[in-house]
mmCIF file of all heavy atoms in Angstrom:
data_model
loop_
_atom_site.group_PDB
_atom_site.id
_atom_site.type_symbol
_atom_site.label_atom_id
_atom_site.label_comp_id
_atom_site.label_asym_id
_atom_site.label_seq_id
_atom_site.Cartn_x
_atom_site.Cartn_y
_atom_site.Cartn_z
ATOM 1 N N THR A 1 22.333 -125.403 -6.607
ATOM 2 C CA THR A 1 23.627 -124.799 -6.370
ATOM 3 C C THR A 1 23.624 -123.999 -5.112
ATOM 4 O O THR A 1 22.741 -123.232 -4.845
ATOM 5 C CB THR A 1 23.972 -123.871 -7.610
ATOM 6 O OG1 THR A 1 23.853 -124.559 -8.782
ATOM 7 C CG2 THR A 1 25.437 -123.340 -7.434
ATOM 8 N N ALA A 2 24.703 -124.170 -4.320
ATOM 9 C CA ALA A 2 24.937 -123.316 -3.166
ATOM 10 C C ALA A 2 25.875 -122.172 -3.571
ATOM 11 O O ALA A 2 26.653 -122.334 -4.451
ATOM 12 C CB ALA A 2 25.631 -124.106 -2.007
ATOM 13 N N PHE A 3 25.655 -120.998 -2.969
ATOM 14 C CA PHE A 3 26.441 -119.859 -3.393
ATOM 15 C C PHE A 3 26.318 -118.732 -2.312
ATOM 16 O O PHE A 3 25.475 -118.855 -1.389
ATOM 17 C CB PHE A 3 25.955 -119.221 -4.746
ATOM 18 C CG PHE A 3 24.539 -118.723 -4.731
ATOM 19 C CD1 PHE A 3 24.336 -117.354 -4.470
ATOM 20 C CD2 PHE A 3 23.461 -119.506 -4.935
ATOM 21 C CE1 PHE A 3 23.005 -116.818 -4.453
ATOM 22 C CE2 PHE A 3 22.207 -119.040 -4.843
ATOM 23 C CZ PHE A 3 21.961 -117.748 -4.607
ATOM 24 N N ALA A 4 27.131 -117.774 -2.381
ATOM 25 C CA ALA A 4 27.061 -116.607 -1.507
ATOM 26 C C ALA A 4 27.053 -115.373 -2.337
ATOM 27 O O ALA A 4 27.649 -115.285 -3.416
ATOM 28 C CB ALA A 4 28.178 -116.572 -0.493
ATOM 29 N N VAL A 5 26.319 -114.280 -1.876
ATOM 30 C CA VAL A 5 26.315 -112.975 -2.499
ATOM 31 C C VAL A 5 26.992 -112.071 -1.488
ATOM 32 O O VAL A 5 26.524 -111.915 -0.412
ATOM 33 C CB VAL A 5 24.879 -112.493 -2.819
ATOM 34 C CG1 VAL A 5 25.000 -111.128 -3.481
ATOM 35 C CG2 VAL A 5 24.179 -113.489 -3.684
ATOM 36 N N ARG A 6 28.157 -111.489 -1.915
ATOM 37 C CA ARG A 6 28.963 -110.717 -1.030
ATOM 38 C C ARG A 6 29.137 -109.282 -1.489
ATOM 39 O O ARG A 6 29.400 -109.046 -2.710
ATOM 40 C CB ARG A 6 30.352 -111.354 -0.885
ATOM 41 C CG ARG A 6 31.276 -110.714 0.147
ATOM 42 C CD ARG A 6 32.615 -111.399 0.209
ATOM 43 N NE ARG A 6 32.414 -112.767 0.677
ATOM 44 C CZ ARG A 6 33.294 -113.757 0.476
ATOM 45 N NH1 ARG A 6 34.377 -113.485 -0.179
ATOM 46 N NH2 ARG A 6 33.018 -114.961 1.034
ATOM 47 N N HIS A 7 28.931 -108.394 -0.545
ATOM 48 C CA HIS A 7 29.131 -106.915 -0.926
ATOM 49 C C HIS A 7 30.562 -106.541 -0.666
ATOM 50 O O HIS A 7 31.244 -107.165 0.152
ATOM 51 C CB HIS A 7 28.168 -106.059 -0.037
ATOM 52 C CG HIS A 7 28.029 -104.623 -0.519
ATOM 53 N ND1 HIS A 7 28.922 -103.655 -0.106
ATOM 54 C CD2 HIS A 7 27.156 -104.067 -1.395
ATOM 55 C CE1 HIS A 7 28.549 -102.509 -0.714
ATOM 56 N NE2 HIS A 7 27.457 -102.751 -1.490
ATOM 57 N N ARG A 8 30.989 -105.507 -1.335
ATOM 58 C CA ARG A 8 32.360 -105.056 -1.156
ATOM 59 C C ARG A 8 32.658 -104.571 0.289
ATOM 60 O O ARG A 8 33.825 -104.485 0.703
ATOM 61 C CB ARG A 8 32.697 -103.944 -2.147
ATOM 62 C CG ARG A 8 31.932 -102.722 -2.077
ATOM 63 C CD ARG A 8 32.458 -101.565 -2.868
ATOM 64 N NE ARG A 8 32.150 -101.774 -4.281
ATOM 65 C CZ ARG A 8 32.940 -101.336 -5.274
ATOM 66 N NH1 ARG A 8 33.982 -100.587 -4.989
ATOM 67 N NH2 ARG A 8 32.534 -101.467 -6.592
ATOM 68 N N ASP A 9 31.551 -104.237 1.044
ATOM 69 C CA ASP A 9 31.747 -103.785 2.469
ATOM 70 C C ASP A 9 31.811 -104.994 3.407
ATOM 71 O O ASP A 9 31.895 -104.756 4.613
ATOM 72 C CB ASP A 9 30.675 -102.796 2.790
ATOM 73 C CG ASP A 9 29.290 -103.428 2.914
ATOM 74 O OD1 ASP A 9 29.156 -104.665 2.736
ATOM 75 O OD2 ASP A 9 28.323 -102.635 2.985
ATOM 76 N N GLY A 10 31.702 -106.215 2.899
ATOM 77 C CA GLY A 10 31.811 -107.321 3.740
ATOM 78 C C GLY A 10 30.533 -108.079 4.093
ATOM 79 O O GLY A 10 30.538 -109.266 4.508
ATOM 80 N N ARG A 11 29.429 -107.408 3.888
ATOM 81 C CA ARG A 11 28.127 -108.108 4.076
ATOM 82 C C ARG A 11 27.980 -109.230 3.125
ATOM 83 O O ARG A 11 28.438 -109.108 2.006
ATOM 84 C CB ARG A 11 26.942 -107.086 3.844
ATOM 85 C CG ARG A 11 26.764 -106.015 4.949
ATOM 86 C CD ARG A 11 25.633 -105.131 4.542
ATOM 87 N NE ARG A 11 25.914 -104.339 3.429
ATOM 88 C CZ ARG A 11 25.002 -103.878 2.533
ATOM 89 N NH1 ARG A 11 23.734 -104.144 2.719
ATOM 90 N NH2 ARG A 11 25.431 -103.127 1.488
ATOM 91 N N GLN A 12 27.309 -110.322 3.567
ATOM 92 C CA GLN A 12 27.107 -111.418 2.591
ATOM 93 C C GLN A 12 25.883 -112.263 3.079
ATOM 94 O O GLN A 12 25.523 -112.261 4.212
ATOM 95 C CB GLN A 12 28.317 -112.305 2.461
ATOM 96 C CG GLN A 12 28.598 -113.240 3.582
ATOM 97 C CD GLN A 12 29.740 -114.205 3.171
ATOM 98 O OE1 GLN A 12 30.436 -114.023 2.197
ATOM 99 N NE2 GLN A 12 29.901 -115.208 3.975
ATOM 100 N N VAL A 13 25.335 -112.951 2.137
ATOM 101 C CA VAL A 13 24.220 -113.875 2.351
ATOM 102 C C VAL A 13 24.652 -115.223 1.700
ATOM 103 O O VAL A 13 24.922 -115.258 0.490
ATOM 104 C CB VAL A 13 22.891 -113.428 1.833
ATOM 105 C CG1 VAL A 13 21.887 -114.546 1.810
ATOM 106 C CG2 VAL A 13 22.405 -112.234 2.541
ATOM 107 N N ARG A 14 24.708 -116.248 2.517
ATOM 108 C CA ARG A 14 24.900 -117.628 1.967
ATOM 109 C C ARG A 14 23.613 -118.334 1.864
ATOM 110 O O ARG A 14 22.839 -118.389 2.858
ATOM 111 C CB ARG A 14 25.885 -118.388 2.949
ATOM 112 C CG ARG A 14 27.320 -117.959 2.935
ATOM 113 C CD ARG A 14 28.195 -118.933 3.700
ATOM 114 N NE ARG A 14 29.611 -118.455 3.540
ATOM 115 C CZ ARG A 14 30.388 -118.780 2.529
ATOM 116 N NH1 ARG A 14 29.914 -119.565 1.549
ATOM 117 N NH2 ARG A 14 31.610 -118.296 2.480
ATOM 118 N N THR A 15 23.332 -118.948 0.717
ATOM 119 C CA THR A 15 22.129 -119.607 0.552
ATOM 120 C C THR A 15 22.284 -120.629 -0.590
ATOM 121 O O THR A 15 23.446 -120.932 -1.006
ATOM 122 C CB THR A 15 20.938 -118.603 0.256
ATOM 123 O OG1 THR A 15 19.696 -119.364 0.260
ATOM 124 C CG2 THR A 15 21.170 -117.934 -1.042
ATOM 125 N N ALA A 16 21.227 -121.180 -1.070
ATOM 126 C CA ALA A 16 21.267 -122.103 -2.217
ATOM 127 C C ALA A 16 19.958 -121.964 -3.002
ATOM 128 O O ALA A 16 18.933 -121.520 -2.492
ATOM 129 C CB ALA A 16 21.427 -123.527 -1.754
ATOM 130 N N THR A 17 20.030 -122.373 -4.233
ATOM 131 C CA THR A 17 18.791 -122.505 -5.076
ATOM 132 C C THR A 17 18.657 -123.857 -5.600
ATOM 133 O O THR A 17 19.630 -124.498 -6.029
ATOM 134 C CB THR A 17 18.794 -121.399 -6.191
ATOM 135 O OG1 THR A 17 17.578 -121.644 -6.978
ATOM 136 C CG2 THR A 17 20.000 -121.557 -7.092
ATOM 137 N N SER A 18 17.465 -124.389 -5.598
ATOM 138 C CA SER A 18 17.267 -125.736 -6.155
ATOM 139 C C SER A 18 17.049 -125.633 -7.674
ATOM 140 O O SER A 18 16.907 -126.707 -8.361
ATOM 141 C CB SER A 18 16.046 -126.383 -5.489
ATOM 142 O OG SER A 18 14.861 -125.585 -5.695
ATOM 143 N N LEU A 19 16.850 -124.435 -8.236
ATOM 144 C CA LEU A 19 16.655 -124.319 -9.632
ATOM 145 C C LEU A 19 17.956 -124.604 -10.395
ATOM 146 O O LEU A 19 19.028 -124.082 -10.041
ATOM 147 C CB LEU A 19 16.193 -122.845 -9.979
ATOM 148 C CG LEU A 19 14.919 -122.514 -9.316
ATOM 149 C CD1 LEU A 19 14.589 -120.991 -9.670
ATOM 150 C CD2 LEU A 19 13.735 -123.370 -9.757
ATOM 151 N N PRO A 20 17.934 -125.411 -11.423
ATOM 152 C CA PRO A 20 19.150 -125.840 -12.096
ATOM 153 C C PRO A 20 19.803 -124.831 -13.039
ATOM 154 O O PRO A 20 19.114 -123.993 -13.550
ATOM 155 C CB PRO A 20 18.706 -127.078 -12.863
ATOM 156 C CG PRO A 20 17.278 -126.785 -13.232
ATOM 157 C CD PRO A 20 16.752 -126.067 -11.980
ATOM 158 N N GLY A 21 21.057 -124.918 -13.152
ATOM 159 C CA GLY A 21 21.787 -124.105 -14.181
ATOM 160 C C GLY A 21 22.444 -122.846 -13.608
ATOM 161 O O GLY A 21 21.924 -122.195 -12.688
ATOM 162 N N PRO A 22 23.603 -122.450 -14.189
ATOM 163 C CA PRO A 22 24.273 -121.185 -13.804
ATOM 164 C C PRO A 22 23.406 -119.980 -13.964
ATOM 165 O O PRO A 22 23.500 -119.043 -13.133
ATOM 166 C CB PRO A 22 25.440 -121.145 -14.766
ATOM 167 C CG PRO A 22 25.706 -122.542 -15.090
ATOM 168 C CD PRO A 22 24.354 -123.221 -15.229
ATOM 169 N N PHE A 23 22.533 -119.973 -14.986
ATOM 170 C CA PHE A 23 21.737 -118.765 -15.183
ATOM 171 C C PHE A 23 20.730 -118.605 -14.037
ATOM 172 O O PHE A 23 20.309 -117.520 -13.669
ATOM 173 C CB PHE A 23 20.968 -118.803 -16.500
ATOM 174 C CG PHE A 23 19.990 -119.930 -16.714
ATOM 175 C CD1 PHE A 23 18.635 -119.736 -16.448
ATOM 176 C CD2 PHE A 23 20.342 -121.185 -17.089
ATOM 177 C CE1 PHE A 23 17.687 -120.690 -16.593
ATOM 178 C CE2 PHE A 23 19.492 -122.248 -17.226
ATOM 179 C CZ PHE A 23 18.123 -121.993 -16.979
ATOM 180 N N ASN A 24 20.378 -119.652 -13.394
ATOM 181 C CA ASN A 24 19.417 -119.544 -12.224
ATOM 182 C C ASN A 24 20.176 -119.117 -10.972
ATOM 183 O O ASN A 24 19.593 -118.508 -10.076
ATOM 184 C CB ASN A 24 18.668 -120.859 -11.961
ATOM 185 C CG ASN A 24 17.412 -120.929 -12.815
ATOM 186 O OD1 ASN A 24 16.738 -119.936 -12.966
ATOM 187 N ND2 ASN A 24 17.132 -122.106 -13.374
ATOM 188 N N VAL A 25 21.480 -119.359 -10.905
ATOM 189 C CA VAL A 25 22.310 -118.745 -9.851
ATOM 190 C C VAL A 25 22.312 -117.230 -10.010
ATOM 191 O O VAL A 25 22.180 -116.479 -9.082
ATOM 192 C CB VAL A 25 23.718 -119.297 -9.893
ATOM 193 C CG1 VAL A 25 24.631 -118.567 -8.872
ATOM 194 C CG2 VAL A 25 23.747 -120.793 -9.553
ATOM 195 N N ALA A 26 22.407 -116.809 -11.288
ATOM 196 C CA ALA A 26 22.382 -115.338 -11.579
ATOM 197 C C ALA A 26 20.978 -114.783 -11.233
ATOM 198 O O ALA A 26 20.962 -113.698 -10.522
ATOM 199 C CB ALA A 26 22.596 -115.070 -13.072
ATOM 200 N N ASN A 27 19.973 -115.445 -11.510
ATOM 201 C CA ASN A 27 18.631 -114.994 -11.153
ATOM 202 C C ASN A 27 18.415 -114.895 -9.610
ATOM 203 O O ASN A 27 17.933 -113.989 -9.053
ATOM 204 C CB ASN A 27 17.530 -115.870 -11.741
ATOM 205 C CG ASN A 27 17.485 -115.877 -13.238
ATOM 206 O OD1 ASN A 27 17.845 -114.882 -13.865
ATOM 207 N ND2 ASN A 27 17.033 -116.945 -13.825
ATOM 208 N N ALA A 28 18.924 -115.985 -8.984
ATOM 209 C CA ALA A 28 18.827 -115.966 -7.513
ATOM 210 C C ALA A 28 19.655 -114.907 -6.801
ATOM 211 O O ALA A 28 19.224 -114.259 -5.836
ATOM 212 C CB ALA A 28 19.118 -117.401 -6.950
ATOM 213 N N ALA A 29 20.824 -114.738 -7.361
ATOM 214 C CA ALA A 29 21.732 -113.707 -6.760
ATOM 215 C C ALA A 29 21.154 -112.335 -6.965
ATOM 216 O O ALA A 29 21.246 -111.455 -6.066
ATOM 217 C CB ALA A 29 23.141 -113.812 -7.449
ATOM 218 N N LEU A 30 20.564 -112.061 -8.164
ATOM 219 C CA LEU A 30 19.924 -110.780 -8.315
ATOM 220 C C LEU A 30 18.806 -110.540 -7.350
ATOM 221 O O LEU A 30 18.647 -109.473 -6.794
ATOM 222 C CB LEU A 30 19.390 -110.706 -9.787
ATOM 223 C CG LEU A 30 18.607 -109.434 -10.175
ATOM 224 C CD1 LEU A 30 19.508 -108.152 -9.924
ATOM 225 C CD2 LEU A 30 18.194 -109.469 -11.577
ATOM 226 N N ALA A 31 17.973 -111.576 -7.150
ATOM 227 C CA ALA A 31 16.851 -111.468 -6.194
ATOM 228 C C ALA A 31 17.412 -111.166 -4.778
ATOM 229 O O ALA A 31 16.863 -110.262 -4.125
ATOM 230 C CB ALA A 31 16.088 -112.758 -6.155
ATOM 231 N N VAL A 32 18.444 -111.875 -4.380
ATOM 232 C CA VAL A 32 19.081 -111.596 -3.073
ATOM 233 C C VAL A 32 19.539 -110.173 -2.914
ATOM 234 O O VAL A 32 19.227 -109.438 -1.979
ATOM 235 C CB VAL A 32 20.198 -112.614 -2.778
ATOM 236 C CG1 VAL A 32 21.033 -112.141 -1.592
ATOM 237 C CG2 VAL A 32 19.618 -113.979 -2.599
ATOM 238 N N ALA A 33 20.273 -109.698 -3.976
ATOM 239 C CA ALA A 33 20.786 -108.320 -3.993
ATOM 240 C C ALA A 33 19.701 -107.343 -3.956
ATOM 241 O O ALA A 33 19.771 -106.245 -3.276
ATOM 242 C CB ALA A 33 21.719 -108.073 -5.137
ATOM 243 N N MET A 34 18.601 -107.552 -4.682
ATOM 244 C CA MET A 34 17.500 -106.571 -4.756
ATOM 245 C C MET A 34 16.840 -106.443 -3.329
ATOM 246 O O MET A 34 16.499 -105.365 -2.846
ATOM 247 C CB MET A 34 16.439 -107.004 -5.750
ATOM 248 C CG MET A 34 16.931 -106.757 -7.175
ATOM 249 S SD MET A 34 15.725 -107.390 -8.410
ATOM 250 C CE MET A 34 14.429 -106.182 -8.182
ATOM 251 N N VAL A 35 16.680 -107.588 -2.708
ATOM 252 C CA VAL A 35 16.025 -107.576 -1.357
ATOM 253 C C VAL A 35 16.934 -106.863 -0.339
ATOM 254 O O VAL A 35 16.490 -106.080 0.482
ATOM 255 C CB VAL A 35 15.711 -109.012 -0.880
ATOM 256 C CG1 VAL A 35 15.215 -109.035 0.609
ATOM 257 C CG2 VAL A 35 14.609 -109.615 -1.827
ATOM 258 N N LEU A 36 18.238 -107.062 -0.463
ATOM 259 C CA LEU A 36 19.170 -106.383 0.459
ATOM 260 C C LEU A 36 19.257 -104.919 0.148
ATOM 261 O O LEU A 36 19.275 -104.085 1.087
ATOM 262 C CB LEU A 36 20.595 -107.009 0.260
ATOM 263 C CG LEU A 36 20.756 -108.446 0.798
ATOM 264 C CD1 LEU A 36 22.131 -108.990 0.400
ATOM 265 C CD2 LEU A 36 20.585 -108.525 2.272
ATOM 266 N N GLU A 37 19.170 -104.491 -1.172
ATOM 267 C CA GLU A 37 19.210 -103.108 -1.414
ATOM 268 C C GLU A 37 17.903 -102.405 -1.055
ATOM 269 O O GLU A 37 17.854 -101.198 -0.862
ATOM 270 C CB GLU A 37 19.355 -102.920 -2.956
ATOM 271 C CG GLU A 37 20.787 -103.209 -3.451
ATOM 272 C CD GLU A 37 21.792 -102.239 -2.957
ATOM 273 O OE1 GLU A 37 21.434 -101.079 -2.699
ATOM 274 O OE2 GLU A 37 22.947 -102.652 -2.713
ATOM 275 N N ALA A 38 16.841 -103.180 -0.791
ATOM 276 C CA ALA A 38 15.611 -102.587 -0.218
ATOM 277 C C ALA A 38 15.679 -102.245 1.236
ATOM 278 O O ALA A 38 14.794 -101.693 1.827
ATOM 279 C CB ALA A 38 14.374 -103.547 -0.536
ATOM 280 N N GLY A 39 16.837 -102.674 1.851
ATOM 281 C CA GLY A 39 17.062 -102.342 3.288
ATOM 282 C C GLY A 39 17.024 -103.499 4.244
ATOM 283 O O GLY A 39 17.184 -103.314 5.403
ATOM 284 N N THR A 40 16.890 -104.752 3.737
ATOM 285 C CA THR A 40 16.897 -105.855 4.580
ATOM 286 C C THR A 40 18.276 -106.207 5.124
ATOM 287 O O THR A 40 19.240 -106.070 4.374
ATOM 288 C CB THR A 40 16.371 -107.157 3.794
ATOM 289 O OG1 THR A 40 15.069 -106.815 3.229
ATOM 290 C CG2 THR A 40 16.253 -108.365 4.636
ATOM 291 N N ASP A 41 18.331 -106.516 6.364
ATOM 292 C CA ASP A 41 19.614 -106.899 7.013
ATOM 293 C C ASP A 41 20.098 -108.245 6.434
ATOM 294 O O ASP A 41 19.298 -109.203 6.336
ATOM 295 C CB ASP A 41 19.509 -106.986 8.516
ATOM 296 C CG ASP A 41 20.802 -107.262 9.232
ATOM 297 O OD1 ASP A 41 21.163 -108.467 9.366
ATOM 298 O OD2 ASP A 41 21.520 -106.323 9.612
ATOM 299 N N ALA A 42 21.318 -108.373 6.113
ATOM 300 C CA ALA A 42 21.909 -109.628 5.474
ATOM 301 C C ALA A 42 21.738 -110.794 6.374
ATOM 302 O O ALA A 42 21.392 -111.906 5.954
ATOM 303 C CB ALA A 42 23.365 -109.441 5.091
ATOM 304 N N ARG A 43 21.908 -110.561 7.667
ATOM 305 C CA ARG A 43 21.783 -111.714 8.682
ATOM 306 C C ARG A 43 20.294 -112.208 8.731
ATOM 307 O O ARG A 43 20.027 -113.329 8.827
ATOM 308 C CB ARG A 43 22.260 -111.288 10.036
ATOM 309 C CG ARG A 43 23.803 -111.071 10.046
ATOM 310 C CD ARG A 43 24.188 -110.293 11.271
ATOM 311 N NE ARG A 43 23.602 -108.943 11.303
ATOM 312 C CZ ARG A 43 23.856 -107.968 12.228
ATOM 313 N NH1 ARG A 43 24.674 -108.297 13.258
ATOM 314 N NH2 ARG A 43 23.252 -106.791 12.141
ATOM 315 N N ASP A 44 19.400 -111.209 8.663
ATOM 316 C CA ASP A 44 17.964 -111.610 8.726
ATOM 317 C C ASP A 44 17.584 -112.367 7.463
ATOM 318 O O ASP A 44 16.851 -113.402 7.550
ATOM 319 C CB ASP A 44 17.095 -110.351 8.832
ATOM 320 C CG ASP A 44 17.241 -109.687 10.197
ATOM 321 O OD1 ASP A 44 17.676 -110.323 11.126
ATOM 322 O OD2 ASP A 44 16.838 -108.462 10.238
ATOM 323 N N LEU A 45 18.076 -111.965 6.283
ATOM 324 C CA LEU A 45 17.726 -112.675 5.100
ATOM 325 C C LEU A 45 18.345 -113.995 4.975
ATOM 326 O O LEU A 45 17.731 -115.009 4.618
ATOM 327 C CB LEU A 45 18.164 -111.825 3.800
ATOM 328 C CG LEU A 45 17.884 -112.469 2.503
ATOM 329 C CD1 LEU A 45 16.400 -112.678 2.314
ATOM 330 C CD2 LEU A 45 18.385 -111.528 1.348
ATOM 331 N N GLU A 46 19.645 -114.148 5.418
ATOM 332 C CA GLU A 46 20.238 -115.483 5.415
ATOM 333 C C GLU A 46 19.483 -116.397 6.358
ATOM 334 O O GLU A 46 19.224 -117.605 5.980
ATOM 335 C CB GLU A 46 21.707 -115.352 5.901
ATOM 336 C CG GLU A 46 22.427 -116.679 5.776
ATOM 337 C CD GLU A 46 23.896 -116.478 5.997
ATOM 338 O OE1 GLU A 46 24.565 -115.869 5.193
ATOM 339 O OE2 GLU A 46 24.473 -117.119 7.049
ATOM 340 N N ALA A 47 19.106 -115.992 7.536
ATOM 341 C CA ALA A 47 18.341 -116.832 8.439
ATOM 342 C C ALA A 47 16.974 -117.208 7.832
ATOM 343 O O ALA A 47 16.566 -118.369 7.999
ATOM 344 C CB ALA A 47 18.207 -116.074 9.813
ATOM 345 N N ALA A 48 16.359 -116.274 7.280
ATOM 346 C CA ALA A 48 15.003 -116.549 6.703
ATOM 347 C C ALA A 48 15.148 -117.569 5.557
ATOM 348 O O ALA A 48 14.244 -118.469 5.525
ATOM 349 C CB ALA A 48 14.358 -115.216 6.228
#
């Protein structure tokens, strides 16, 4: 599934997960948000 995780301030990361199922989108989105909340720049994470 391809998806984006967007903050209310406009920051976002577009990515995809190869793990099947909507629940894995939830897991992947949580991982993205946790890494961003640790201080990672959204553009750097999306590029990586």
Side-chain angles (χ1 to χ4, degrees):
T1 308
F3 65 95
V5 181
R6 183 178 298 159
H7 194 272
R8 63 170 74 205
D9 64 11
R11 288 178 292 152
Q12 74 171 15
V13 169
R14 288 190 176 276
T15 188
T17 179
S18 60
L19 301 175
F23 64 96
N24 274 320
V25 174
N27 294 332
L30 176 57
V32 168
M34 290 177 68
V35 172
L36 293 172
E37 288 293 329
T40 302
D41 184 274
R43 292 165 296 185
D44 291 341
L45 180 57
E46 184 171 296

